[in-house]
Amino acid sequence: MKFLITGGAGFIGGNFCHYMIEKYPYDSFVCLDALTYAGNMETLQDILDKPNFKFVKGNICDKQLVEELFEKENFDIVINFAAESHVDRSIENPKIFLESNIIGVQTLMDDCKKFGIKRYHQVSTDEVYGDLPLDRPDLFFTEETPIHTSSPYSASKASADLLVMAYHRTFKLPVTISRCSNNYGPYQFPEKLIPLIIKKAQNDEKLPVYGKGENVRDWLHVLDHCSAIDLIVRKGKDGEIYNVGGHNERTNIDVVKTILKVLNKPESLITFVTDRPGHDMRYAIDPAKIEKELGWKPIYTFDTGIVETIKWNVDNKQWLKHVESGEYLNWMQRYNTK
Ligand SMILES: NC(=O)c1ccc[n+]([C@@H]2O[C@H](COP(=O)([O-])OP(=O)(O)OC[C@H]3O[C@@H](n4cnc5c(N)ncnc54)[C@H](O)[C@@H]3O)[C@@H](O)[C@H]2O)c1
């Protein structure tokens, strides 16, 4: 089978490329990525020479480029990770989120329709459900929870989900959607909570924590997310949405304290900063559907995954250094891609 993986130079897409290429040496994979600030070719460096992998630089909103690629490659399956993904950036500049996260999805699906693709999979987020109150630990997001977004980021992802379901109903496009909780693991850009705290704590810098750090996130190791998407794409039913999460709820302050403990750094580094506007209080996924219908199970607990992730960040200083210095952005000038 031939896969198009969009956004594969980002955090989750990059891990997914590694995961799939190793697991399925007889399938082939084309990665299409615009290489925004979040795209990093150094994440893909180890797999660029694999015979079943090809990288193409391009924007999913570029109708001509996308159409030519579909025509040339004859894809069976399209998995869309490409998106602007940082909530704080969506508050500063919403427009690019609407372009990449909505128009990009429409552009891809139009060609999926035109070229008779077997499956379009949209990588979505639990943030489309809004948030849950802190004093109701009995509540979880199910696939039936109404969409109720808080940020321009989550509104753009929810809009895309609605469009995906509309293409299924109107054009019978074979689609699936996964809505996953917060991911952590290797190759995550250090603007997100876990790699940011690991980086700053190692340098004995102040650790900014929004509000009182009470917000609860439901953490899933990125490789567990990858195994869920792999399963949905191969065994999931057309037109279905699958929530993905591992019941690993932690307050932000607990996450920060865990990282400090593993790195043997003092809690005095923690600094509380003014809360993010519209900050969601609690996310918590009920993954019963994917567990029961597809037999998915996460491998990592948060306690094992966080230690491994801290170790990855400590061991991969070069990758992080190039992100910090901006050196990773020059990758295309330094190397020729296939
Ligand atoms: N990070 C999380 O915790 C999380 C959780 C649930 C769902 N998601 C979703 O998973 C997907 C991937 O998230 P991530 O954390 O890896 O994001 P990321 O920001 O690390 O990576 C996004 C990638 O998409 C590329 N990209 C952005 N706009 C593009 C465009 N218009 N055309 C082509 N490429 C483009 C970027 O260059 C980058 O490589 C997103 O759709 C996000 O909404 C993320």
Side-chain angles (χ1 to χ4, degrees), residues 4 6 32 60-61 66 70 78-82 103-113 120 122 173:
L4 173 63
T6 63
L32 172 67
I60 57 166
C61 303
V66 171
F70 272 69
V78 174
I79 305 177
N80 180 33
F81 292 89
I103 301 296
V105 169
Q106 175 238 321
T107 310
L108 287 172
M109 287 197 301
D110 279 345
D111 283 319
C112 288
K113 187 156 70 76
Y120 172 83
Q122 174 69 6
L173 191 70

mmCIF file with all atom_site columns, all heavy atoms in Angstrom, residues 4 6 32 60-61 66 70 78-82 103-113 120 122 173:
data_model
loop_
_atom_site.group_PDB
_atom_site.id
_atom_site.type_symbol
_atom_site.label_atom_id
_atom_site.label_alt_id
_atom_site.label_comp_id
_atom_site.label_asym_id
_atom_site.label_entity_id
_atom_site.label_seq_id
_atom_site.pdbx_PDB_ins_code
_atom_site.Cartn_x
_atom_site.Cartn_y
_atom_site.Cartn_z
_atom_site.occupancy
_atom_site.B_iso_or_equiv
_atom_site.pdbx_formal_charge
_atom_site.auth_seq_id
_atom_site.auth_comp_id
_atom_site.auth_asym_id
_atom_site.auth_atom_id
_atom_site.pdbx_PDB_model_num
ATOM 1   N N   . LEU A 1 4   ? 0.225   8.561  1.886  1.00 0.00 ? 4   LEU A N   1
ATOM 2   C CA  . LEU A 1 4   ? 0.665   9.959  1.973  1.00 0.00 ? 4   LEU A CA  1
ATOM 3   C C   . LEU A 1 4   ? 0.546   10.367 3.436  1.00 0.00 ? 4   LEU A C   1
ATOM 4   O O   . LEU A 1 4   ? -0.528  10.249 4.035  1.00 0.00 ? 4   LEU A O   1
ATOM 5   C CB  . LEU A 1 4   ? -0.221  10.881 1.114  1.00 0.00 ? 4   LEU A CB  1
ATOM 6   C CG  . LEU A 1 4   ? 0.064   12.381 1.287  1.00 0.00 ? 4   LEU A CG  1
ATOM 7   C CD1 . LEU A 1 4   ? 1.488   12.750 0.855  1.00 0.00 ? 4   LEU A CD1 1
ATOM 8   C CD2 . LEU A 1 4   ? -0.947  13.231 0.510  1.00 0.00 ? 4   LEU A CD2 1
ATOM 9   N N   . THR A 1 6   ? 0.982   13.608 5.648  1.00 0.00 ? 6   THR A N   1
ATOM 10  C CA  . THR A 1 6   ? 1.231   15.055 5.628  1.00 0.00 ? 6   THR A CA  1
ATOM 11  C C   . THR A 1 6   ? 1.635   15.514 7.029  1.00 0.00 ? 6   THR A C   1
ATOM 12  O O   . THR A 1 6   ? 1.180   14.947 8.029  1.00 0.00 ? 6   THR A O   1
ATOM 13  C CB  . THR A 1 6   ? -0.028  15.820 5.180  1.00 0.00 ? 6   THR A CB  1
ATOM 14  O OG1 . THR A 1 6   ? -1.038  15.584 6.157  1.00 0.00 ? 6   THR A OG1 1
ATOM 15  C CG2 . THR A 1 6   ? -0.498  15.383 3.816  1.00 0.00 ? 6   THR A CG2 1
ATOM 16  N N   . LEU A 1 32  ? 4.596   14.693 2.922  1.00 0.00 ? 32  LEU A N   1
ATOM 17  C CA  . LEU A 1 32  ? 4.447   16.057 2.388  1.00 0.00 ? 32  LEU A CA  1
ATOM 18  C C   . LEU A 1 32  ? 4.405   17.011 3.563  1.00 0.00 ? 32  LEU A C   1
ATOM 19  O O   . LEU A 1 32  ? 3.548   16.876 4.451  1.00 0.00 ? 32  LEU A O   1
ATOM 20  C CB  . LEU A 1 32  ? 3.148   16.161 1.577  1.00 0.00 ? 32  LEU A CB  1
ATOM 21  C CG  . LEU A 1 32  ? 2.750   17.560 1.102  1.00 0.00 ? 32  LEU A CG  1
ATOM 22  C CD1 . LEU A 1 32  ? 3.749   18.098 0.068  1.00 0.00 ? 32  LEU A CD1 1
ATOM 23  C CD2 . LEU A 1 32  ? 1.335   17.559 0.507  1.00 0.00 ? 32  LEU A CD2 1
ATOM 24  N N   . ILE A 1 60  ? -0.092  21.850 2.083  1.00 0.00 ? 60  ILE A N   1
ATOM 25  C CA  . ILE A 1 60  ? -1.329  21.108 1.765  1.00 0.00 ? 60  ILE A CA  1
ATOM 26  C C   . ILE A 1 60  ? -2.409  22.027 1.192  1.00 0.00 ? 60  ILE A C   1
ATOM 27  O O   . ILE A 1 60  ? -3.411  21.548 0.672  1.00 0.00 ? 60  ILE A O   1
ATOM 28  C CB  . ILE A 1 60  ? -1.894  20.316 2.983  1.00 0.00 ? 60  ILE A CB  1
ATOM 29  C CG1 . ILE A 1 60  ? -2.157  21.238 4.179  1.00 0.00 ? 60  ILE A CG1 1
ATOM 30  C CG2 . ILE A 1 60  ? -0.962  19.178 3.362  1.00 0.00 ? 60  ILE A CG2 1
ATOM 31  C CD1 . ILE A 1 60  ? -3.011  20.583 5.269  1.00 0.00 ? 60  ILE A CD1 1
ATOM 32  N N   . CYS A 1 61  ? -2.222  23.338 1.300  1.00 0.00 ? 61  CYS A N   1
ATOM 33  C CA  . CYS A 1 61  ? -3.196  24.279 0.705  1.00 0.00 ? 61  CYS A CA  1
ATOM 34  C C   . CYS A 1 61  ? -2.887  24.548 -0.773 1.00 0.00 ? 61  CYS A C   1
ATOM 35  O O   . CYS A 1 61  ? -3.672  25.205 -1.457 1.00 0.00 ? 61  CYS A O   1
ATOM 36  C CB  . CYS A 1 61  ? -3.177  25.624 1.436  1.00 0.00 ? 61  CYS A CB  1
ATOM 37  S SG  . CYS A 1 61  ? -3.511  25.502 3.182  1.00 0.00 ? 61  CYS A SG  1
ATOM 38  N N   . VAL A 1 66  ? -0.586  19.619 -4.707 1.00 0.00 ? 66  VAL A N   1
ATOM 39  C CA  . VAL A 1 66  ? -1.233  18.443 -4.114 1.00 0.00 ? 66  VAL A CA  1
ATOM 40  C C   . VAL A 1 66  ? -1.811  17.558 -5.223 1.00 0.00 ? 66  VAL A C   1
ATOM 41  O O   . VAL A 1 66  ? -1.624  16.341 -5.229 1.00 0.00 ? 66  VAL A O   1
ATOM 42  C CB  . VAL A 1 66  ? -2.325  18.879 -3.099 1.00 0.00 ? 66  VAL A CB  1
ATOM 43  C CG1 . VAL A 1 66  ? -3.152  17.681 -2.634 1.00 0.00 ? 66  VAL A CG1 1
ATOM 44  C CG2 . VAL A 1 66  ? -1.684  19.553 -1.882 1.00 0.00 ? 66  VAL A CG2 1
ATOM 45  N N   . PHE A 1 70  ? -0.786  13.645 -6.091 1.00 0.00 ? 70  PHE A N   1
ATOM 46  C CA  . PHE A 1 70  ? -1.752  12.529 -6.106 1.00 0.00 ? 70  PHE A CA  1
ATOM 47  C C   . PHE A 1 70  ? -1.691  11.803 -7.458 1.00 0.00 ? 70  PHE A C   1
ATOM 48  O O   . PHE A 1 70  ? -1.742  10.578 -7.514 1.00 0.00 ? 70  PHE A O   1
ATOM 49  C CB  . PHE A 1 70  ? -3.180  13.042 -5.868 1.00 0.00 ? 70  PHE A CB  1
ATOM 50  C CG  . PHE A 1 70  ? -3.566  13.137 -4.409 1.00 0.00 ? 70  PHE A CG  1
ATOM 51  C CD1 . PHE A 1 70  ? -2.982  14.067 -3.577 1.00 0.00 ? 70  PHE A CD1 1
ATOM 52  C CD2 . PHE A 1 70  ? -4.528  12.296 -3.872 1.00 0.00 ? 70  PHE A CD2 1
ATOM 53  C CE1 . PHE A 1 70  ? -3.339  14.168 -2.232 1.00 0.00 ? 70  PHE A CE1 1
ATOM 54  C CE2 . PHE A 1 70  ? -4.899  12.381 -2.539 1.00 0.00 ? 70  PHE A CE2 1
ATOM 55  C CZ  . PHE A 1 70  ? -4.306  13.316 -1.718 1.00 0.00 ? 70  PHE A CZ  1
ATOM 56  N N   . VAL A 1 78  ? -4.384  8.298  2.824  1.00 0.00 ? 78  VAL A N   1
ATOM 57  C CA  . VAL A 1 78  ? -3.857  9.632  3.164  1.00 0.00 ? 78  VAL A CA  1
ATOM 58  C C   . VAL A 1 78  ? -4.093  9.863  4.657  1.00 0.00 ? 78  VAL A C   1
ATOM 59  O O   . VAL A 1 78  ? -5.223  9.703  5.141  1.00 0.00 ? 78  VAL A O   1
ATOM 60  C CB  . VAL A 1 78  ? -4.580  10.722 2.337  1.00 0.00 ? 78  VAL A CB  1
ATOM 61  C CG1 . VAL A 1 78  ? -4.157  12.118 2.785  1.00 0.00 ? 78  VAL A CG1 1
ATOM 62  C CG2 . VAL A 1 78  ? -4.294  10.524 0.845  1.00 0.00 ? 78  VAL A CG2 1
ATOM 63  N N   . ILE A 1 79  ? -3.023  10.220 5.367  1.00 0.00 ? 79  ILE A N   1
ATOM 64  C CA  . ILE A 1 79  ? -3.148  10.504 6.805  1.00 0.00 ? 79  ILE A CA  1
ATOM 65  C C   . ILE A 1 79  ? -2.660  11.929 7.037  1.00 0.00 ? 79  ILE A C   1
ATOM 66  O O   . ILE A 1 79  ? -1.505  12.252 6.762  1.00 0.00 ? 79  ILE A O   1
ATOM 67  C CB  . ILE A 1 79  ? -2.318  9.507  7.649  1.00 0.00 ? 79  ILE A CB  1
ATOM 68  C CG1 . ILE A 1 79  ? -2.720  8.066  7.292  1.00 0.00 ? 79  ILE A CG1 1
ATOM 69  C CG2 . ILE A 1 79  ? -2.509  9.771  9.137  1.00 0.00 ? 79  ILE A CG2 1
ATOM 70  C CD1 . ILE A 1 79  ? -1.929  6.995  8.010  1.00 0.00 ? 79  ILE A CD1 1
ATOM 71  N N   . ASN A 1 80  ? -3.557  12.769 7.541  1.00 0.00 ? 80  ASN A N   1
ATOM 72  C CA  . ASN A 1 80  ? -3.233  14.196 7.642  1.00 0.00 ? 80  ASN A CA  1
ATOM 73  C C   . ASN A 1 80  ? -2.864  14.624 9.061  1.00 0.00 ? 80  ASN A C   1
ATOM 74  O O   . ASN A 1 80  ? -3.729  14.802 9.920  1.00 0.00 ? 80  ASN A O   1
ATOM 75  C CB  . ASN A 1 80  ? -4.413  15.037 7.148  1.00 0.00 ? 80  ASN A CB  1
ATOM 76  C CG  . ASN A 1 80  ? -4.100  16.523 7.243  1.00 0.00 ? 80  ASN A CG  1
ATOM 77  O OD1 . ASN A 1 80  ? -2.944  16.937 7.083  1.00 0.00 ? 80  ASN A OD1 1
ATOM 78  N ND2 . ASN A 1 80  ? -5.095  17.332 7.522  1.00 0.00 ? 80  ASN A ND2 1
ATOM 79  N N   . PHE A 1 81  ? -1.562  14.813 9.273  1.00 0.00 ? 81  PHE A N   1
ATOM 80  C CA  . PHE A 1 81  ? -1.057  15.370 10.532 1.00 0.00 ? 81  PHE A CA  1
ATOM 81  C C   . PHE A 1 81  ? -0.794  16.872 10.387 1.00 0.00 ? 81  PHE A C   1
ATOM 82  O O   . PHE A 1 81  ? -0.570  17.559 11.382 1.00 0.00 ? 81  PHE A O   1
ATOM 83  C CB  . PHE A 1 81  ? 0.291   14.737 10.912 1.00 0.00 ? 81  PHE A CB  1
ATOM 84  C CG  . PHE A 1 81  ? 0.227   13.292 11.292 1.00 0.00 ? 81  PHE A CG  1
ATOM 85  C CD1 . PHE A 1 81  ? 0.359   12.298 10.335 1.00 0.00 ? 81  PHE A CD1 1
ATOM 86  C CD2 . PHE A 1 81  ? 0.056   12.907 12.612 1.00 0.00 ? 81  PHE A CD2 1
ATOM 87  C CE1 . PHE A 1 81  ? 0.325   10.956 10.680 1.00 0.00 ? 81  PHE A CE1 1
ATOM 88  C CE2 . PHE A 1 81  ? 0.020   11.568 12.968 1.00 0.00 ? 81  PHE A CE2 1
ATOM 89  C CZ  . PHE A 1 81  ? 0.153   10.587 11.999 1.00 0.00 ? 81  PHE A CZ  1
ATOM 90  N N   . ALA A 1 82  ? -0.720  17.372 9.144  1.00 0.00 ? 82  ALA A N   1
ATOM 91  C CA  . ALA A 1 82  ? -0.280  18.759 8.923  1.00 0.00 ? 82  ALA A CA  1
ATOM 92  C C   . ALA A 1 82  ? -1.265  19.739 9.554  1.00 0.00 ? 82  ALA A C   1
ATOM 93  O O   . ALA A 1 82  ? -2.455  19.688 9.275  1.00 0.00 ? 82  ALA A O   1
ATOM 94  C CB  . ALA A 1 82  ? -0.157  19.029 7.425  1.00 0.00 ? 82  ALA A CB  1
ATOM 95  N N   . ILE A 1 103 ? -8.659  24.881 5.212  1.00 0.00 ? 103 ILE A N   1
ATOM 96  C CA  . ILE A 1 103 ? -8.536  24.887 3.738  1.00 0.00 ? 103 ILE A CA  1
ATOM 97  C C   . ILE A 1 103 ? -7.609  23.750 3.293  1.00 0.00 ? 103 ILE A C   1
ATOM 98  O O   . ILE A 1 103 ? -7.842  23.094 2.281  1.00 0.00 ? 103 ILE A O   1
ATOM 99  C CB  . ILE A 1 103 ? -7.992  26.246 3.226  1.00 0.00 ? 103 ILE A CB  1
ATOM 100 C CG1 . ILE A 1 103 ? -8.928  27.389 3.666  1.00 0.00 ? 103 ILE A CG1 1
ATOM 101 C CG2 . ILE A 1 103 ? -7.819  26.250 1.705  1.00 0.00 ? 103 ILE A CG2 1
ATOM 102 C CD1 . ILE A 1 103 ? -10.325 27.322 3.085  1.00 0.00 ? 103 ILE A CD1 1
ATOM 103 N N   . GLY A 1 104 ? -6.564  23.504 4.075  1.00 0.00 ? 104 GLY A N   1
ATOM 104 C CA  . GLY A 1 104 ? -5.645  22.408 3.740  1.00 0.00 ? 104 GLY A CA  1
ATOM 105 C C   . GLY A 1 104 ? -6.378  21.068 3.713  1.00 0.00 ? 104 GLY A C   1
ATOM 106 O O   . GLY A 1 104 ? -6.143  20.231 2.837  1.00 0.00 ? 104 GLY A O   1
ATOM 107 N N   . VAL A 1 105 ? -7.274  20.865 4.660  1.00 0.00 ? 105 VAL A N   1
ATOM 108 C CA  . VAL A 1 105 ? -8.036  19.613 4.743  1.00 0.00 ? 105 VAL A CA  1
ATOM 109 C C   . VAL A 1 105 ? -8.965  19.484 3.526  1.00 0.00 ? 105 VAL A C   1
ATOM 110 O O   . VAL A 1 105 ? -9.071  18.421 2.910  1.00 0.00 ? 105 VAL A O   1
ATOM 111 C CB  . VAL A 1 105 ? -8.824  19.569 6.080  1.00 0.00 ? 105 VAL A CB  1
ATOM 112 C CG1 . VAL A 1 105 ? -9.822  18.426 6.106  1.00 0.00 ? 105 VAL A CG1 1
ATOM 113 C CG2 . VAL A 1 105 ? -7.844  19.458 7.246  1.00 0.00 ? 105 VAL A CG2 1
ATOM 114 N N   . GLN A 1 106 ? -9.610  20.596 3.179  1.00 0.00 ? 106 GLN A N   1
ATOM 115 C CA  . GLN A 1 106 ? -10.495 20.583 2.000  1.00 0.00 ? 106 GLN A CA  1
ATOM 116 C C   . GLN A 1 106 ? -9.700  20.250 0.735  1.00 0.00 ? 106 GLN A C   1
ATOM 117 O O   . GLN A 1 106 ? -10.132 19.435 -0.097 1.00 0.00 ? 106 GLN A O   1
ATOM 118 C CB  . GLN A 1 106 ? -11.173 21.955 1.871  1.00 0.00 ? 106 GLN A CB  1
ATOM 119 C CG  . GLN A 1 106 ? -12.030 22.119 0.625  1.00 0.00 ? 106 GLN A CG  1
ATOM 120 C CD  . GLN A 1 106 ? -11.567 23.288 -0.225 1.00 0.00 ? 106 GLN A CD  1
ATOM 121 O OE1 . GLN A 1 106 ? -11.184 24.332 0.300  1.00 0.00 ? 106 GLN A OE1 1
ATOM 122 N NE2 . GLN A 1 106 ? -11.612 23.125 -1.526 1.00 0.00 ? 106 GLN A NE2 1
ATOM 123 N N   . THR A 1 107 ? -8.517  20.853 0.606  1.00 0.00 ? 107 THR A N   1
ATOM 124 C CA  . THR A 1 107 ? -7.684  20.626 -0.582 1.00 0.00 ? 107 THR A CA  1
ATOM 125 C C   . THR A 1 107 ? -7.310  19.151 -0.688 1.00 0.00 ? 107 THR A C   1
ATOM 126 O O   . THR A 1 107 ? -7.420  18.537 -1.751 1.00 0.00 ? 107 THR A O   1
ATOM 127 C CB  . THR A 1 107 ? -6.401  21.495 -0.496 1.00 0.00 ? 107 THR A CB  1
ATOM 128 O OG1 . THR A 1 107 ? -6.794  22.828 -0.207 1.00 0.00 ? 107 THR A OG1 1
ATOM 129 C CG2 . THR A 1 107 ? -5.599  21.459 -1.781 1.00 0.00 ? 107 THR A CG2 1
ATOM 130 N N   . LEU A 1 108 ? -6.888  18.563 0.435  1.00 0.00 ? 108 LEU A N   1
ATOM 131 C CA  . LEU A 1 108 ? -6.511  17.138 0.426  1.00 0.00 ? 108 LEU A CA  1
ATOM 132 C C   . LEU A 1 108 ? -7.710  16.257 0.093  1.00 0.00 ? 108 LEU A C   1
ATOM 133 O O   . LEU A 1 108 ? -7.609  15.337 -0.723 1.00 0.00 ? 108 LEU A O   1
ATOM 134 C CB  . LEU A 1 108 ? -5.971  16.736 1.809  1.00 0.00 ? 108 LEU A CB  1
ATOM 135 C CG  . LEU A 1 108 ? -4.579  17.239 2.201  1.00 0.00 ? 108 LEU A CG  1
ATOM 136 C CD1 . LEU A 1 108 ? -4.302  16.898 3.668  1.00 0.00 ? 108 LEU A CD1 1
ATOM 137 C CD2 . LEU A 1 108 ? -3.502  16.610 1.314  1.00 0.00 ? 108 LEU A CD2 1
ATOM 138 N N   . MET A 1 109 ? -8.848  16.559 0.716  1.00 0.00 ? 109 MET A N   1
ATOM 139 C CA  . MET A 1 109 ? -10.015 15.678 0.519  1.00 0.00 ? 109 MET A CA  1
ATOM 140 C C   . MET A 1 109 ? -10.561 15.771 -0.907 1.00 0.00 ? 109 MET A C   1
ATOM 141 O O   . MET A 1 109 ? -11.067 14.784 -1.442 1.00 0.00 ? 109 MET A O   1
ATOM 142 C CB  . MET A 1 109 ? -11.100 16.004 1.540  1.00 0.00 ? 109 MET A CB  1
ATOM 143 C CG  . MET A 1 109 ? -10.744 15.517 2.940  1.00 0.00 ? 109 MET A CG  1
ATOM 144 S SD  . MET A 1 109 ? -12.168 15.456 4.033  1.00 0.00 ? 109 MET A SD  1
ATOM 145 C CE  . MET A 1 109 ? -12.721 17.145 3.998  1.00 0.00 ? 109 MET A CE  1
ATOM 146 N N   . ASP A 1 110 ? -10.448 16.955 -1.523 1.00 0.00 ? 110 ASP A N   1
ATOM 147 C CA  . ASP A 1 110 ? -10.909 17.073 -2.915 1.00 0.00 ? 110 ASP A CA  1
ATOM 148 C C   . ASP A 1 110 ? -10.129 16.114 -3.810 1.00 0.00 ? 110 ASP A C   1
ATOM 149 O O   . ASP A 1 110 ? -10.688 15.483 -4.695 1.00 0.00 ? 110 ASP A O   1
ATOM 150 C CB  . ASP A 1 110 ? -10.754 18.522 -3.409 1.00 0.00 ? 110 ASP A CB  1
ATOM 151 C CG  . ASP A 1 110 ? -11.906 19.389 -2.926 1.00 0.00 ? 110 ASP A CG  1
ATOM 152 O OD1 . ASP A 1 110 ? -12.936 18.823 -2.468 1.00 0.00 ? 110 ASP A OD1 1
ATOM 153 O OD2 . ASP A 1 110 ? -11.799 20.627 -2.987 1.00 0.00 ? 110 ASP A OD2 1
ATOM 154 N N   . ASP A 1 111 ? -8.823  15.994 -3.539 1.00 0.00 ? 111 ASP A N   1
ATOM 155 C CA  . ASP A 1 111 ? -8.039  15.067 -4.361 1.00 0.00 ? 111 ASP A CA  1
ATOM 156 C C   . ASP A 1 111 ? -8.254  13.615 -3.943 1.00 0.00 ? 111 ASP A C   1
ATOM 157 O O   . ASP A 1 111 ? -8.184  12.717 -4.788 1.00 0.00 ? 111 ASP A O   1
ATOM 158 C CB  . ASP A 1 111 ? -6.556  15.462 -4.343 1.00 0.00 ? 111 ASP A CB  1
ATOM 159 C CG  . ASP A 1 111 ? -6.322  16.658 -5.258 1.00 0.00 ? 111 ASP A CG  1
ATOM 160 O OD1 . ASP A 1 111 ? -6.923  16.673 -6.349 1.00 0.00 ? 111 ASP A OD1 1
ATOM 161 O OD2 . ASP A 1 111 ? -5.595  17.586 -4.875 1.00 0.00 ? 111 ASP A OD2 1
ATOM 162 N N   . CYS A 1 112 ? -8.533  13.383 -2.666 1.00 0.00 ? 112 CYS A N   1
ATOM 163 C CA  . CYS A 1 112 ? -8.880  12.010 -2.247 1.00 0.00 ? 112 CYS A CA  1
ATOM 164 C C   . CYS A 1 112 ? -10.113 11.554 -3.014 1.00 0.00 ? 112 CYS A C   1
ATOM 165 O O   . CYS A 1 112 ? -10.206 10.403 -3.456 1.00 0.00 ? 112 CYS A O   1
ATOM 166 C CB  . CYS A 1 112 ? -9.173  11.971 -0.751 1.00 0.00 ? 112 CYS A CB  1
ATOM 167 S SG  . CYS A 1 112 ? -7.710  12.157 0.264  1.00 0.00 ? 112 CYS A SG  1
ATOM 168 N N   . LYS A 1 113 ? -11.064 12.472 -3.167 1.00 0.00 ? 113 LYS A N   1
ATOM 169 C CA  . LYS A 1 113 ? -12.316 12.194 -3.893 1.00 0.00 ? 113 LYS A CA  1
ATOM 170 C C   . LYS A 1 113 ? -12.007 11.945 -5.364 1.00 0.00 ? 113 LYS A C   1
ATOM 171 O O   . LYS A 1 113 ? -12.408 10.946 -5.937 1.00 0.00 ? 113 LYS A O   1
ATOM 172 C CB  . LYS A 1 113 ? -13.195 13.444 -3.715 1.00 0.00 ? 113 LYS A CB  1
ATOM 173 C CG  . LYS A 1 113 ? -14.604 13.347 -4.228 1.00 0.00 ? 113 LYS A CG  1
ATOM 174 C CD  . LYS A 1 113 ? -15.492 14.344 -3.500 1.00 0.00 ? 113 LYS A CD  1
ATOM 175 C CE  . LYS A 1 113 ? -15.237 15.797 -3.824 1.00 0.00 ? 113 LYS A CE  1
ATOM 176 N NZ  . LYS A 1 113 ? -15.744 16.275 -5.093 1.00 0.00 ? 113 LYS A NZ  1
ATOM 177 N N   . TYR A 1 120 ? -9.186  8.395  3.890  1.00 0.00 ? 120 TYR A N   1
ATOM 178 C CA  . TYR A 1 120 ? -8.602  9.657  4.351  1.00 0.00 ? 120 TYR A CA  1
ATOM 179 C C   . TYR A 1 120 ? -8.721  9.666  5.870  1.00 0.00 ? 120 TYR A C   1
ATOM 180 O O   . TYR A 1 120 ? -9.838  9.549  6.398  1.00 0.00 ? 120 TYR A O   1
ATOM 181 C CB  . TYR A 1 120 ? -9.351  10.868 3.759  1.00 0.00 ? 120 TYR A CB  1
ATOM 182 C CG  . TYR A 1 120 ? -8.873  12.176 4.374  1.00 0.00 ? 120 TYR A CG  1
ATOM 183 C CD1 . TYR A 1 120 ? -7.725  12.809 3.901  1.00 0.00 ? 120 TYR A CD1 1
ATOM 184 C CD2 . TYR A 1 120 ? -9.538  12.733 5.468  1.00 0.00 ? 120 TYR A CD2 1
ATOM 185 C CE1 . TYR A 1 120 ? -7.265  13.983 4.494  1.00 0.00 ? 120 TYR A CE1 1
ATOM 186 C CE2 . TYR A 1 120 ? -9.072  13.904 6.064  1.00 0.00 ? 120 TYR A CE2 1
ATOM 187 C CZ  . TYR A 1 120 ? -7.943  14.525 5.573  1.00 0.00 ? 120 TYR A CZ  1
ATOM 188 O OH  . TYR A 1 120 ? -7.470  15.675 6.162  1.00 0.00 ? 120 TYR A OH  1
ATOM 189 N N   . GLN A 1 122 ? -8.109  11.809 9.326  1.00 0.00 ? 122 GLN A N   1
ATOM 190 C CA  . GLN A 1 122 ? -7.846  13.140 9.890  1.00 0.00 ? 122 GLN A CA  1
ATOM 191 C C   . GLN A 1 122 ? -7.377  12.998 11.333 1.00 0.00 ? 122 GLN A C   1
ATOM 192 O O   . GLN A 1 122 ? -8.085  12.437 12.178 1.00 0.00 ? 122 GLN A O   1
ATOM 193 C CB  . GLN A 1 122 ? -9.143  13.981 9.823  1.00 0.00 ? 122 GLN A CB  1
ATOM 194 C CG  . GLN A 1 122 ? -9.077  15.337 10.501 1.00 0.00 ? 122 GLN A CG  1
ATOM 195 C CD  . GLN A 1 122 ? -8.162  16.344 9.801  1.00 0.00 ? 122 GLN A CD  1
ATOM 196 O OE1 . GLN A 1 122 ? -7.622  16.097 8.723  1.00 0.00 ? 122 GLN A OE1 1
ATOM 197 N NE2 . GLN A 1 122 ? -7.979  17.490 10.412 1.00 0.00 ? 122 GLN A NE2 1
ATOM 198 N N   . LEU A 1 173 ? -16.968 9.878  0.821  1.00 0.00 ? 173 LEU A N   1
ATOM 199 C CA  . LEU A 1 173 ? -15.510 9.726  0.959  1.00 0.00 ? 173 LEU A CA  1
ATOM 200 C C   . LEU A 1 173 ? -15.228 8.803  2.151  1.00 0.00 ? 173 LEU A C   1
ATOM 201 O O   . LEU A 1 173 ? -15.788 9.006  3.230  1.00 0.00 ? 173 LEU A O   1
ATOM 202 C CB  . LEU A 1 173 ? -14.857 11.100 1.181  1.00 0.00 ? 173 LEU A CB  1
ATOM 203 C CG  . LEU A 1 173 ? -13.337 11.123 1.079  1.00 0.00 ? 173 LEU A CG  1
ATOM 204 C CD1 . LEU A 1 173 ? -12.882 10.913 -0.366 1.00 0.00 ? 173 LEU A CD1 1
ATOM 205 C CD2 . LEU A 1 173 ? -12.768 12.459 1.599  1.00 0.00 ? 173 LEU A CD2 1
#
